[in-house]
Amino acid sequence: MQKLSVAVAVFAALTALVGVHKGDSSLFVLVAAAALCAYTTWRAADMSSFLKIFAFIFSTETIVFGLVGLAQAEGLWPESLKDYAPPETMPLTVAVFSIIVYAISHIPVVREMTRIADLYFSSRDRGEGRVWPFKPFAARERAIAIAMVVVLVLLNQGQVGITVRLSFFNRDWYNAIQEKNASEFWRQLFFVFTPWAFVYVASVIIEFVLQSMLIIRWRRWLTEHYIGRWLGAHTHYGMALAGSGADNPDQRIAEDVNRFISGGEEGYGVYSYSILLIATLSSLVSFAYVLWDLSGNYPLPGTEIYIPGFLFWAVLIYAAVGTLVTHLIGRTLTGLYFDRQRREADFRFSLARMREYSEQIALLGGEPAERGALLRRFAGIIVNYLAIVQKRKQLMVFTSTYGQLSPIIPYVITAPFYFAGRITLGVMTQTASAFGRVESALTFFINYYTSLANFKSVLDRLSSFDHAIDTARGQASATQIFSPTDGADIRLRGLTLALPDGRQIVTVDDLTLAAGQSALLTGPSGSGKSTLFRAIAGIWPYASGEVLTPRGAKVMLAPQRPYIPMGALADAIVYPGHVDDYSRADVQEALRAARLAPFVERLDEENNWGQRLSGGEQQRVAIARALLAKPDWLFLDEATSALDEQLEEEIYAMLRERLPGTTIVSIGHRSTLHAFHDRYIVMEPAPGGVFSPRDKVHA
Ligand code: ADP
Ligand code: MG
């Protein structure tokens, strides 16, 4: 950026020289703008990476268009290319754009937006790209994305240029029609309109493809980013525990990321707020110039007095009135749409819940109650729908009328001049089309502005999600209670466990779990046994003290209700490993050992196993999992509670036989469990309303 800034400064100096040389004081506006642009470009070095792309484009264009302009002023521009020279005002316009980019980078909403956009545009990840018909190539993902943005902006600007050019075609064509000049009519059609229209269509297609690719790449990256951060370091668990401000992480990852980038049904995303905004702004500025120039054709009726930019002011007022009325009629619509999303989501969620608890509901005969609740929810959707229809009907009366009028209005304004013979038909139609362009650009802007509230809520949801992740991570890293030791035992020293609200529940002065000595932990329900296991497993963030674990030891914890992932049974057995990590025979053998022999044939069956298997079968899946994983330490948190005593005994005997190198620590209530353990620990009340584990001799 700094090199570019120097180049812009050199260009400003050059322009000043030419200005002095030619005695052309009008050039000094450009000199001032270019000097300011050089300054903001310099400062842009520490601006957001995303905004830098745009500042870079505009500053570069300032130099390029500026040099072309100087060449023209000095008579160095070839005569044959005269038609292709950019308008004189171009360098000034793009210099101002570059300055604007710098200025808006200080607005809080923009900062928040670019902070999230920058995650992608300053990432260091590798990516792969492919430009047809060339071979795929590897590059930084960021570089690919930036290149796409640059091309998209240039394409959009090119399209605006073509539209401006075509508006002059429009003028000449209608003039030819008015003058009944057939040869000019056809010449304009075939040699001006056709090639430009062709280029325009091609550029629209390329733009569409590029834009779609950019959006999906960006979304893929951002989704991976958030999933990675959410799942990393057990953050998802810490966030759920803390009940942090970030509800529904699923919605944030699946919907908000997409809405942030490409916008949703009723809003615009960051793509619209950057590239499309620039396209619209360029279109507005270009046609405003055209209209301004055309205004020179229209003196006040009966006089020779010209109001500068008369047509421009007319369209400004027209568009402002139109949008104001639209806004006044439709302002409640935003709230209704918002409401609709919430109601639809609620309805969908209650249907999904119904499916999840289908068995429990059937057992209780709860269908009528469910039907009532579902239909009540749906009635809310209908009420909202009807309110939207009502509002849109009113809005439609106005917008349809306005839509019908819009193409007519400029003709009404210009007709007196045409009939008085002051303007040609071509000027009239060109005025009408420029009027339409400026009008729709202005309307667009006002829409952008009003959808900002929607976009802001998406931004806020992503920001608070980020924030909650950071908080959970900070908490997790602040409670680094683990230290690896060279010994073989697990030792807890000065350990204090608390609840998310800060209330302490467990203290452990000094407890050593010796390797090879199986232990049974019992105690009243709610005395923190499971929490103690969670702390040993390293997922409980509200802990202080020390947990010394043997270096490199593999610790596995089986909870009372094991997790059964979606998919084939084999996937559930080897979870979180992969089926390829184990031989088929080993998996089958583990199943048989866990007394699940009937399922050996159904390993590849995809099913909702989490609901299909009985509680006891699910617990045995966890046992089979442990057999395959062969951990050094196996913590069983009431992991056999759903088995009958006979089966429980068999399972314990089998575990001891098959996992001789594994130390088993269990939580359980049944007295029959004592027989399978070497040591007996009880959670006992200690001062301060907490519980502490104490050794007991089993009577
Ligand atoms: P145990 O396994 O001994 O029955 P737990 O360790 O599961 O007990 O729970 C100990 C106490 O901590 C209980 O009072 C329980 O309600 C509370 N508790 C556990 N998890 C949470 C949580 N995520 N948020 C708030 N309280 C919790
Ligand atoms: Mg428990």
Side-chain angles (χ1 to χ4, degrees), residues 15-334:
T15 314
L17 276 182
V18 174
V20 170
H21 169 68
K22 302 203 64 142
D24 183 353
S25 59
S26 68
L27 274 179
F28 286 99
V29 179
L30 178 57
V31 173
L36 189 55
C37 172
Y39 170 73
T40 58
T41 311
W42 182 274
R43 294 291 306 268
D46 33 53
M47 197 165 67
S48 125
S49 313
F50 183 61
L51 286 183
K52 244 188 247 175
I53 308 174
F54 301 99
F56 177 82
I57 296 174
F58 293 132
S59 298
T60 312
E61 286 178 343
T62 303
I63 302 176
V64 173
F65 291 131
L67 288 179
V68 172
L70 290 187
Q72 277 178 297
E74 291 288 330
L76 297 174
W77 189 254
E79 195 58 31
S80 57
L81 289 180
K82 203 162 178 312
D83 269 359
Y84 296 92
E88 277 168 42
T89 48
M90 198 80 167
L92 182 61
T93 311
V94 286
V96 171
F97 275 17
S98 176
I99 297 166
I100 292 178
V101 170
Y102 177 72
I104 63 164
S105 74
H106 297 282
I107 301 174
V109 175
V110 177
R111 271 178 181 274
E112 209 178 313
M113 175 181 103
T114 52
R115 193 187 61 74
I116 299 176
D118 278 355
L119 293 174
Y120 181 51
F121 283 93
S122 44
S123 81
R124 313 205 144 265
D125 298 351
R126 307 293 306 178
E128 194 173 84
R130 171 148 200 222
V131 182
W132 186 84
F134 303 105
K135 280 193 160 47
F137 59 89
R140 279 250 162 92
E141 181 67 33
R142 172 178 69 175
I144 298 175
I146 292 177
M148 285 170 121
V149 171
V150 171
V151 175
L152 279 166
V153 171
L154 296 183
L155 274 178
N156 271 297
Q157 290 179 329
Q159 285 166 10
V160 172
I162 294 177
T163 336
V164 173
R165 177 65 191 85
L166 284 180
S167 92
F168 286 94
F169 150 78
N170 176 303
R171 180 194 64 192
D172 299 340
W173 206 45
Y174 276 96
N175 281 342
I177 292 175
Q178 186 180 25
E179 289 153 14
K180 300 210 162 51
N181 183 344
S183 69
E184 178 64 9
F185 177 88
W186 295 115
R187 197 190 72 78
Q188 285 285 337
L189 184 61
F190 289 122
F191 297 103
V192 180
F193 175 77
T194 311
W196 282 122
F198 177 79
V199 174
Y200 189 89
V201 170
S203 84
V204 167
I205 307 286
I206 296 173
E207 181 199 356
F208 171 71
V209 173
L210 256 185
Q211 160 192 335
S212 313
M213 290 302 124
L214 174 63
I215 285 174
I216 195 66
R217 287 187 88 107
W218 192 348
R219 183 175 171 194
R220 178 185 64 188
W221 189 91
L222 204 56
T223 305
E224 280 173 10
H225 170 82
Y226 276 119
I227 288 183
R229 266 166 64 75
W230 186 48
L231 292 186
H234 308 308
T235 309
H236 59 103
Y237 181 65
M239 281 168 68
L241 278 179
S244 58
D247 58 283
N248 302 321
D250 45 317
Q251 184 203 5
R252 287 159 206 259
I253 294 175
E255 266 176 45
D256 290 339
V257 163
N258 188 29
R259 291 175 64 185
F260 169 73
I261 297 171
S262 58
E265 257 179 274
E266 292 108 20
Y268 301 104
V270 68
Y271 185 82
S272 320
Y273 278 109
S274 53
I275 296 173
L276 288 190
L277 190 72
I278 287 169
T280 318
L281 195 62
S282 311
S283 167
L284 177 69
V285 171
S286 313
F287 281 100
Y289 276 135
V290 173
L291 266 189
W292 199 280
D293 281 348
L294 283 170
S295 299
N297 293 310
Y298 302 90
L300 283 181
T303 67
E304 284 302 319
I305 303 169
Y306 294 87
I307 301 176
F310 144 74
L311 287 168
F312 176 73
W313 301 118
V315 68
L316 198 64
I317 293 167
Y318 179 72
V321 169
T323 348
L324 185 69
V325 176
T326 312
H327 175 68
L328 285 182
I329 301 177
R331 85 192 129 168
T332 43
L333 263 180
T334 322

Side-chain angles (χ1 to χ4, degrees), residues 237 240-241 499-500 503 505 523-532 534 540 637-638 667 683:
Y237 181 65
L241 278 179
L499 292 180
R503 205 154 42 88
I505 46 167
S525 171
S527 59
K529 304 181 296 292
S530 297
T531 310
L532 185 62
R534 290 181 196 122
W540 192 254
D637 184 353
E638 305 191 34
I667 293 176
M683 286 297 234

